[in-house]
Amino acid sequence: MAISPKTIGRLGLYRRTMQKMLADGREYVYSHEISNACSVTAAQVRRDLMTIRFTGSPERGYSIAGLLQSISDLLDDPEEQRVALVGVGNLGQALLNYFRGRRATLQVAAAFDVDPAKVGRVIAGTRTYPMQQIAAVFSKQSIGIAILTVPAAEAQAVATSVVQAGARALLNFTQVHLRLPRGVFVESIDFGVSLEKVAYFRQQGG
Amino acid sequence: MAISPKTIGRLGLYRRTMQKMLADGREYVYSHEISNACSVTAAQVRRDLMTIRFTGSPERGYSIAGLLQSISDLLDDPEEQRVALVGVGNLGQALLNYFRGRRATLQVAAAFDVDPAKVGRVIAGTRTYPMQQIAAVFSKQSIGIAILTVPAAEAQAVATSVVQAGARALLNFTQVHLRLPRGVFVESIDFGVSLEKVAYFRQQGG
DNA sequence: GATTGTGAATAAGTTCACAGCC
DNA sequence: GGCTGTGAACTTATTCACAATC
């Protein structure tokens, strides 16, 4: 059963909400409460849970612990997935901090940078290697996911080399449209386009 | 005529490509070339241009300068839109650098932070003010757009205060789901969810 | 009585495919 | 011949609405 990217994204959101609720000592939750917490309609929540075959009861709603488990079973690979970040600038460092100590199943295992001052240092818990060692480190640490936070000019070359080194999925923060072999999953986050969109819909809304 | 967020996003992409092509000295472009450069089908490109009523000719395709103009007329507000960034951490600084000296119609006019060491400094061309001055500076500089790069714990409070101060659109980098009055446009960029999505589709694809 | 689970309806987004044009 | 512009077909995503359930 294929699950759409949109549903996957929302499930990630629900999981975060469930973690918060569980921490608050709650045990059960209704679809309209998740709806409220995530700005998604209640029908959408139920539809999403239906696609992962998680069921609740009209009486008490959904078990929070159970839902958490089901979402995690789906999203988290059974074997730990290892991630590398390439480009330890401000953005790269912000991301290293953000992902520091997150779920063990999805761990940033290495960082890479051209700057000799950064190479060898441990930044936000992650060791930084020179770019030349991408192939070696990806292979030794079996890294399959790369986060790209390099300048636009280097983006394509770096992307090609991490894929060569074994990356099968990329989170691309550069504004470059990457050309990569089929089968490599790329998610791009484009600050410029996002800000333009926000600006456009500001005009509209008000 | 309402234009969907998706189309707006793609138009931003096309514009960037057109700028590059114009800089390369090209004058005309075919839909399949834009398609290639942006990973969007040619039919989609033509459909998007149709919605903004921009037409080309079978002979030479679309005028690059003309298309650039049409997209800009749509995306750029006739009056300059002013943006503030709240939270000058690593991510905030990365964004200030990214947006530095971008199109004059969409300018980051002020930054805010709690850290006294940052207040008063000019970072990436943008002056930093203390949080207490949000209301005053938003009003004086007529800022209508805010970028939120503060820690999760402060996100809701800061969001509320920038909206109070006059912001009508937010680019939210915190993982907090913001509760704001209707009519305020919020675009959220959620690193955690994005990485989880990438990880999930890596499993699938490979 | 309020909620779940879901078929059916609707809406949004994309692609097809081809007439018309240069 | 290869392109644009576009109605129509199709696909994907969301919402409705209600029978079944506790």
Side-chain angles (χ1 to χ4, degrees), chain B residues 33-187:
Chain B
E33 296 174 293
I34 302 178
S35 156
N36 245 283
C38 301
S39 282
V40 164
T41 65
Q44 181 76 78
V45 172
R46 295 201 301 276
R47 182 64 65 183
D48 287 337
L49 300 196
M50 195 180 120
T51 70
I52 63 167
R53 293 197 181 75
F54 186 78
T55 62
S57 77
E59 188 185 13
R60 299 186 290 182
Y62 303 95
S63 150
I64 291 176
L67 179 51
L68 212 37
Q69 188 62 52
S70 283
I71 296 178
S72 296
D73 285 350
L74 179 79
L75 294 187
D76 300 342
D77 203 73
E79 38 188 310
E80 173 182 286
Q81 296 198 85
R82 299 171 76 75
V83 182
L85 180 143
V86 190
V88 191
N90 277 318
L91 176 59
Q93 286 180 48
L95 290 166
L96 287 177
N97 276 307
Y98 184 92
F99 291 125
R100 170 169 219 173
R102 286 198 125 225
R103 48 195 55 267
T105 54
L106 192 53
Q107 211 195 340
V108 181
F112 297 88
D113 204 286
V114 286
D115 184 353
K118 283 172 187 154
V119 167
R121 284 184 53 206
V122 174
I123 298 169
T126 308
R127 177 164 296 279
T128 305
Y129 300 89
M131 303 291 258
Q132 294 78 36
Q133 288 181 26
I134 284 179
V137 175
F138 269 62
S139 156
K140 194 185 297 175
Q141 307 230 35
S142 27
I143 291 170
I145 300 172
I147 302 174
L148 244 67
T149 47
V150 298
E154 297 161 40
Q156 180 61 62
V158 170
T160 303
S161 76
V162 296
V163 168
Q164 184 97 59
R168 284 294 157 270
L170 267 65
L171 186 52
N172 173 35
F173 283 91
T174 76
Q175 78 268 66
V176 176
H177 167 245
L178 302 173
R179 308 182 161 279
L180 293 170
R182 310 175 98 271
V184 177
F185 182 87
V186 180
E187 167 96 349

Side-chain angles (χ1 to χ4, degrees), chain A:
Chain A
M1 162 204 43
I3 301 180
S4 79
K6 294 207 163 193
T7 296
I8 293 296
R10 284 190 301 263
L11 288 170
L13 239 46
Y14 304 160
R15 170 158 71 169
R16 193 181 286 154
T17 300
M18 292 307 98
Q19 284 162 339
K20 219 171 294 169
M21 287 185 170
L22 196 69
D24 290 350
R26 297 198 42 184
E27 282 194 63
Y28 290 89
V29 66
Y30 295 115
S31 63
H32 69 258
E33 296 175 293
I34 302 179
S35 156
N36 245 283
C38 300
S39 282
V40 164
T41 65
Q44 181 76 79
V45 171
R46 295 201 300 276
R47 182 66 64 184
D48 287 337
L49 300 197
M50 195 180 120
T51 69
I52 64 167
R53 294 198 181 76
F54 186 79
T55 63
S57 77
E59 189 185 14
R60 298 187 290 183
Y62 302 96
S63 151
I64 291 176
L67 179 51
L68 213 37
Q69 188 62 53
S70 282
I71 296 178
S72 296
D73 285 349
L74 178 79
L75 294 187
D76 300 341
D77 203 74
E79 38 188 308
E80 176 181 284
Q81 296 196 84
R82 299 172 76 76
V83 182
L85 180 142
V86 190
V88 190
N90 276 317
L91 177 58
Q93 287 181 48
L95 290 166
L96 287 177
N97 276 306
Y98 184 92
F99 291 124
R100 170 169 219 175
R102 286 198 127 227
R103 49 193 57 268
T105 54
L106 191 53
Q107 211 195 339
V108 181
F112 297 87
D113 204 286
V114 285
D115 184 353
K118 283 171 188 153
V119 166
R121 285 184 52 206
V122 174
I123 297 169
T126 309
R127 176 164 297 278
T128 306
Y129 299 88
M131 304 289 259
Q132 294 78 34
Q133 289 180 27
I134 284 179
V137 176
F138 269 62
S139 154
K140 195 185 299 175
Q141 307 229 35
S142 29
I143 290 171
I145 301 172
I147 302 174
L148 244 68
T149 48
V150 298
E154 297 162 39
Q156 181 62 61
V158 170
T160 305
S161 76
V162 296
V163 169
Q164 184 96 57
R168 283 296 158 268
L170 266 66
L171 186 51
N172 173 34
F173 283 91
T174 77
Q175 78 266 66
V176 176
H177 168 244
L178 303 172
R179 307 183 162 281
L180 294 170
R182 310 175 99 272
V184 177
F185 182 87
V186 180
E187 167 98 347
S188 287
I189 293 179
D190 190 319
F191 298 145
V193 167
S194 296
L195 186 60
E196 282 167 4
K197 200 190 290 185
V198 165
Y200 178 80
F201 286 102
R202 198 226 77 186
Q203 311 171 213
Q204 302 311 92

Side-chain angles (χ1 to χ4, degrees), chain B residues 179-196:
Chain B
R179 308 182 161 279
L180 293 170
R182 310 175 98 271
V184 177
F185 182 87
V186 180
E187 167 96 349
S188 287
I189 293 179
D190 190 319
F191 298 145
V193 167
S194 297
L195 186 59
E196 283 166 4

